[in-house]
Every structure is written in C-alpha cells, then in structure tokens.
C-alpha cells in the first residue's frame, strides 16, 4: 500500500477545499490521508470523518518530526504568519523535517506573483521565493504550486467594504487601475491541487513544471484590471461605485485613518508595494494548467466576484488584519 498523503492547511479555506475534493470527487479512502493542524482541538473534527490526524505546527519542529513519520506526499501549505522573518523560520522547519524524515514528494503552495519568475518586489512573495530556494537546495523531490491571487480576497485587494461608495487606489506609474491580474478562485485552486494529489502529475502530460523550482502556475483564465472587479461588484449589488486615485502617500494615510477594519499605516505601505507590483504586471501571467486540471475553463475574477456579492450582500474577507480573523 502506498504511504499516506499528509495535508497541512486543511482547517483553512484552500486546504479544506483540497481535502473535500480528495474525499468526495476522487473518492480517496480516508485511511490514505492524514489531516493536520497546529491545534489538538481540531482532532475530533477530522476523526469524525475517519481521517487520521497529527499535530503539525511549523513553529515547533518536534511536532513536524513526529507528523512526517512514514508519509509519502506532503502538501505544504504556506504559513499564514505575516512576519516574513518568522515565516521563513517556520518554512525552514518544514523543509528540514521533510528531509530528515525522507518525505517522498513535497507539494509547496506558493504564490503566483511574478509568474514563473522571481522579479516581484512584494514582501509576501520574497518569503515564497526564499522557501522555493530552500526546497531546491534540500535535495527533496518537490513541486511548487504558485497559486493565483484569490478572487475571493477582492475586498482586501480593493479595500472594499459593503458600505464603500468609492474604491480608492494610489496614483501610480504605470496606472494601477490598468494593472491586470489573473484572479483565481480559491475553491477551484483547491479542486485543481486535489486532482494533482489524487492522480499524480503523470496523469496530466500537458502540465510540465517550469524552471529549477519545478513551478506549476495555477491561475484564472484571463488577466483583468481592478475596474473589471468593480464593475462585477456593481452588477452583483446594483451599485455604482467608481475607482478614484489619490497620491500614494496621501492614500496610505487616508486609508489607515478611515479603514473600517482598523488596518494601520504599515499594512497600507506594504499594500502599496503590492499594488505597484500589480501595476507592473506581477499578477498578469495566465497559464492553462488549472484549466487542464479542472477539465473546464476556470471562473474569471469578475465572474467569481459577481457570484460572491450576489450570494452574500455583506461579503467580507479577512479585512481586519490587526484583530481576529474571519
Ligand atoms: N493566493 C492568494 O491570494 C492568497 C491569499 C491569502 C493567503 N494565501 C496563502 O495561502 C495559504 C492558504 O490560504 P487559506 O486561504 O487557506 O488560508 P487560511 O484559511 O488562513 O488557512 C491557513 C491554514 O494554514 C495552516 N497554518 C498556518 N500557519 C501554520 C503554521 N505555522 N503551522 C501549521 N499550519 C499552519 C492553518 O492551520 P491551523 O490554524 O489549523 O494550524 C490553516 O489551516 C495562506 O496560509 C497564505 O500563505 C494566498
């Protein structure tokens, strides 16, 4: 019998979608999977589905050494730690434990900023690039799954709230309003990653990992600007909100002063770098891999956004980054 697949991140949105698809669309027996969490309190949730459960906390290497015992594939969800230095320590712990325990293959969930390249200046991408580098140097068999920017996270990208009457964006060169992104549905990312885990890469000959980081780029089918998302919000909610531009420093100060979620200056400064990347094309590379895995065209960003705001008028997304998360 093949060694089990160990899944990190399954208490979160992407990991839950992956697990659900593995169990229900691919009918993998629960005995072939091991669910994990940093918290022992999640054990019963998985045990009630006949799944094995192990404690795995990237910040506590001893938990990883125990968790990674005797596993075949490891789904390595990137940490949600926002401090890059801490995040890198956590990721190093995972890579070192995987190497120490002879894990068969690591599937690392990275981010698609910069497409297949390493040119993005966004802080969050620096940690992903450094982790990919660790995997490359580790000698482990690994695949990097660079996930497109979540369509579901549009409220964060636009700093939109259900009460918003305008979308304020910084006035950048080139124009952020025209920067295109291949917005990608988190649920569809989950479905696609599950297909890879269930059937293996060999089942999808058109998908060939690229560069020395073995990158598979998982994106929506088309790159579109923020204005397309705003139009989708308006269609879905019957509103008429517009994008307005402000000088970058004034934008940071004004956003931090009035933000409903209480996000501060540092958060918006970091978002400014992300938006500069968007303007410069960080998110614009489209790749057909996700369509191959799904066997259908993935939803575009505007399609996903319109569906979300129609389904839930008060839709929000992790908007309070300084307090408890959704
Ligand atoms: N592509 C994008 O646009 C985008 C947007 C947001 C985030 N992301 C990245 O994608 C990842 C998954 O996204 P998501 O939406 O599923 O996030 P999420 O709902 O916040 O879930 C995060 C998951 O990662 C696990 N996790 C986080 N830090 C961990 C650690 N130190 N040790 C062990 N497990 C840890 C959590 O497990 P427990 O809490 O149960 O331990 C949880 O299951 C995020 O962590 C983030 O790095 C990508």
């Amino acid at each position: 019998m093949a060694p089990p697949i160990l899944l990190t991140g399954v208490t979160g949105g992407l990991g839950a979608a992956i697990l659900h698809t593995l169990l229900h669309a691919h009918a993998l027996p629960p005995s072939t999977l091991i669910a994990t969490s940093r918290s022992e309190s999640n054990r019963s949730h998985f045990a009630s589905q006949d799944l094995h459960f192990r404690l795995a906390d990237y910040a506590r290497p001893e938990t990883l050494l125990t968790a990674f015992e005797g596993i075949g594939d490891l789904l390595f969800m990137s940490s949600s730690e926002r401090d890059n230095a801490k995040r890198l320590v956590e990721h190093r712990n995972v890579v070192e434990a995987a190497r120490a325990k002879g894990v068969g293959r690591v599937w690392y969930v990275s981010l698609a900023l910069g497409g297949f390249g390493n040119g993005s200046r966004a802080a969050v991408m620096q940690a992903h690039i450094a982790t990919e580098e660790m995997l490359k140097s580790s000698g482990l068999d690994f695949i990097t799954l660079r996930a497109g920017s979540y369509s579901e996270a549009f409220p964060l990208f636009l700093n939109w709230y259900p009460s918003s009457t305008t979308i304020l964006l910084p006035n950048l060169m080139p124009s952020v309003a025209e920067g295109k992104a291949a917005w990608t549905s988190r649920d569809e990312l989950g479905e696609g990653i599950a297909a890879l885990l269930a059937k293996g890469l060999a089942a999808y000959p058109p998908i060939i990992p690229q560069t020395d980081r073995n990158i598979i780029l998982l994106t929506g089918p088309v790159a579109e600007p923020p204005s397309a998302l705003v139009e989708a919000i308006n269609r879905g909610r019957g509103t008429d909100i517009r994008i307005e531009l402000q000088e970058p420093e004034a934008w940071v100060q004004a956003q931090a002063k009035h933000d409903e979620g209480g996000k501060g200056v540092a958060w918006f400064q970091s978002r400014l770098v992300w938006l500069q990347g968007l303007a410069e094309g960080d998110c614009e590379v489209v790749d057909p891999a996700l369509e191959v895995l799904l066997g259908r065209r993935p939803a575009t960003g505007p399609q996903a956004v319109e569906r979300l705001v129609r389904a839930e008028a008060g839709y929000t997304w992790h908007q309070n980054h300084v307090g408890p998360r959704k």
Side-chain angles (χ1 to χ4, degrees), residues 39 121 174 203 207 242-243 276:
S39 172
R121 287 185 287 135
I207 301 179
R242 305 275 163 91
I243 293 176
Q276 183 71 49

Side-chain angles (χ1 to χ4, degrees), residues 8-16 36-39 42 46 53 56-60 64 77-82 87 90-91 94 108-112 124 128 146-151 153 156-157 184 186 189 274 317-318 325-326:
T8 63
V10 281
T11 60
L14 179 58
T36 64
S37 167
R38 282 169 290 188
S39 172
N42 287 309
F46 296 111
F53 174 85
D57 182 344
Y58 303 166
R60 292 190 288 152
L64 303 175
M77 191 65 69
S78 47
S79 166
S80 41
E81 170 59 58
R82 295 189 190 108
R87 188 181 234 219
E90 292 185 357
H91 285 188
V94 176
Y108 172 57
V109 181
S110 181
L111 190 60
V124 64
H128 287 294
R146 284 199 176 182
S149 298
Y150 295 165
S151 300
L156 209 54
F157 298 131
T184 314
R186 185 172 70 172
L189 280 169
W274 190 92
W317 171 273
H318 291 197
R325 302 176 60 195
K326 185 178 162 186

Side-chain angles (χ1 to χ4, degrees), residues 1-8 10 15-37 43 45-55 67 69-75 107 190 193-200:
M1 202 171 79
I5 305 174
L6 185 129
L7 307 164
T8 63
V10 281
I18 294 170
L19 177 59
H20 182 87
T21 311
L22 287 172
L23 291 173
H24 301 288
H26 297 285
L28 259 57
S31 60
T32 63
L33 302 172
I34 303 172
T36 64
S37 167
R43 178 182 292 273
H45 169 70
F46 296 111
S48 68
Q49 300 171 69
D50 295 328
L51 286 156
H52 299 292
F53 174 85
R54 293 182 186 172
L55 196 70
E69 195 70 60
I71 63 166
D73 289 22
L74 163 64
L75 175 72
W107 301 82
I193 293 171
L196 272 173
L197 289 172
K199 295 187 175 171

Side-chain angles (χ1 to χ4, degrees), residues 92-110:
R92 186 168 295 286
N93 289 340
V94 176
V95 174
E96 286 181 356
R99 190 170 49 183
K101 289 295 165 182
V103 165
R105 171 171 277 180
V106 179
W107 301 82
Y108 172 57
V109 181
S110 181

Side-chain angles (χ1 to χ4, degrees), residues 209-319:
Q210 302 289 312
T211 85
D212 56 0
R213 285 132 190 269
N214 303 330
I215 297 170
I216 298 176
L217 196 63
L218 299 172
T219 73
V222 60
E224 291 172 276
S227 57
L229 302 187
V230 175
E231 284 160 19
I233 296 170
N234 285 335
R235 276 196 305 279
R237 304 182 89 238
T239 52
D240 186 24
I241 59 173
R242 305 275 163 91
I243 293 176
E244 284 180 17
L245 300 178
Q246 272 183 323
E247 288 314 301
E249 198 41 44
W251 175 82
V252 168
Q253 298 302 330
Q255 293 287 83
K257 190 170 175 191
H258 302 296
D259 185 49
E260 279 185 33
K263 302 189 292 295
V265 167
W267 195 91
F268 285 103
Q269 273 165 342
S270 149
R271 182 63 23 175
L272 189 58
V273 179
W274 190 92
L275 288 167
Q276 183 71 49
L278 174 72
E280 291 170 2
D282 259 7
C283 311
E284 74 183 6
V285 181
V286 169
D287 192 272
L290 186 57
E291 180 160 353
V292 171
L293 293 169
L294 299 179
R296 63 172 191 275
R297 191 176 195 252
T300 66
Q303 284 169 340
V305 168
E306 185 174 342
R307 196 170 56 233
L308 289 164
V309 296
R310 278 189 192 282
E312 191 183 339
Y315 182 79
T316 56
W317 171 273
H318 291 197
Q319 261 140 315

Side-chain angles (χ1 to χ4, degrees), residues 123-173:
V124 64
M125 197 59 209
Q126 302 313 309
H128 287 294
I129 290 169
T131 306
E132 294 170 8
E133 193 61 37
M134 280 178 216
L135 285 163
K136 192 180 94 180
S137 321
S138 71
L140 284 160
D141 180 347
F142 76 100
I143 299 286
T144 296
L145 302 165
R146 284 199 176 182
S149 298
Y150 295 165
S151 300
E152 289 87 343
F154 76 90
L156 209 54
F157 298 131
L158 300 175
N159 211 31
W160 174 85
Y161 293 87
S163 60
S164 296
T165 51
T166 51
I167 299 296
L168 289 173
L169 291 176
N171 192 9
L172 300 171
M173 286 289 289

